[in-house]
Amino acid sequence: MPSPPPPRIRVRILTEPIDERESIEFVRSPLAGAISTFIGTARNTYHGVDVLELAYECYEPMALEVLDAVARETCARYAGDGDERRVTVDGRGGMGVVAMDIAHRVGTVGVTETSVVVSCAASHRKDACDAVAEAMELLKARAPIWKKEILDVVDETSGTRVGVWKANGLGEHFGRDG
Amino acid sequence: MPLLNVLLFARARELAEASSTTLTLPDDPPASVADARAELLTRFPQLSGVLQTSIFALNKTYVKRDDERVAIVRAGDELAVVPPISGG
């Protein structure tokens, strides 16, 4: 029985717009029967106030290490046993996850634009979908990346737009359980 | 006297009006992340609020709040102030 090959992994921090299609093509594999992709996009509202754009920043060397660890951990969790002879009825198994791509944008991200993409290819669909969801949860809990919402509100003192730093509220390192 | 590079991000960067700084800390006994936290607060009193909700990353590894006293900093180390994260 063939053992699954090591997963193909790529993680990136980008200042340019993310090409979602290219992320999908990166994970595409003859071993995969499913590709799942999560696309995070910039929303236009915060507690009923109009959001003009998002401003992201990151601690890039550490963020890349964290994203790589997130991808490796998730791929290991959803690895298969390499046995494609069994008839799977649960959407799992075989080679399991064979490739994962994570890209996060930094800098200014306009409303509707993509801030993050996670793509995953797996032998079967549930492993692909679950691995993407789990990688996103880990990214939000661990990656040193910060988002500021620039609101359609002008501060009367400074004359500049009001910005609000967000908090994911689920950071495992921050001792919260949100 | 270890010279420590400190990186500041997000709200901490804005309040300090700097994206990095250096701290000189005593080396006998060796200084800890907790000492760095106290020194940062002395240098940048305006960070008192954000530091309460921030943790540190020492050489790109998070230091749990409870471990700050035992996490020793050495000359040339890179310490980052990590306010609550919000990637995604």
Side-chain angles (χ1 to χ4, degrees), chain A residues 50-63:
Chain A
D50 286 350
V51 173
L52 300 177
E53 62 192 22
L54 305 180
Y56 283 93
E57 68 182 67
C58 83
Y59 177 15
E60 185 163 337
M62 181 174 170

Side-chain angles (χ1 to χ4, degrees), chain A residues 36 74 78 92 120 125-136:
Chain A
S36 179
T74 310
Y78 292 93
R92 301 188 188 278
C120 175
R125 72 187 186 287
K126 281 191 182 168
D127 282 336
C129 292
D130 290 355
V132 165
E134 184 159 319
M136 268 309 299

Side-chain angles (χ1 to χ4, degrees), chain B residues 3-59:
Chain B
L3 197 63
L4 188 66
N5 301 310
V6 180
L7 304 178
L8 301 156
F9 293 98
R11 186 81 181 129
R13 172 183 57 75
E14 288 181 340
L15 289 168
E17 297 182 326
S19 56
S20 69
T21 187
T22 54
L23 296 179
T24 304
L25 296 166
D27 52 7
D28 189 23
S32 66
V33 171
D35 297 321
R37 176 186 283 275
E39 180 62 19
L40 260 184
L41 201 51
T42 304
R43 286 269 297 278
F44 300 98
Q46 68 270 38
L47 296 184
S48 72
V50 70
L51 280 176
Q52 283 177 30
T53 57
S54 295
I55 61 167
F56 288 90
L58 180 59
N59 298 325

Side-chain angles (χ1 to χ4, degrees), chain A residues 56-57 59 142 145 147-148, chain B residues 10 13-14 62 78 86 88:
Chain A
Y56 283 93
E57 68 182 67
Y59 177 15
R142 296 182 190 170
I145 299 173
K147 169 168 64 185
K148 187 182 193 180
Chain B
R13 172 183 57 75
E14 288 181 340
Y62 290 121
E78 184 172 270
S86 45

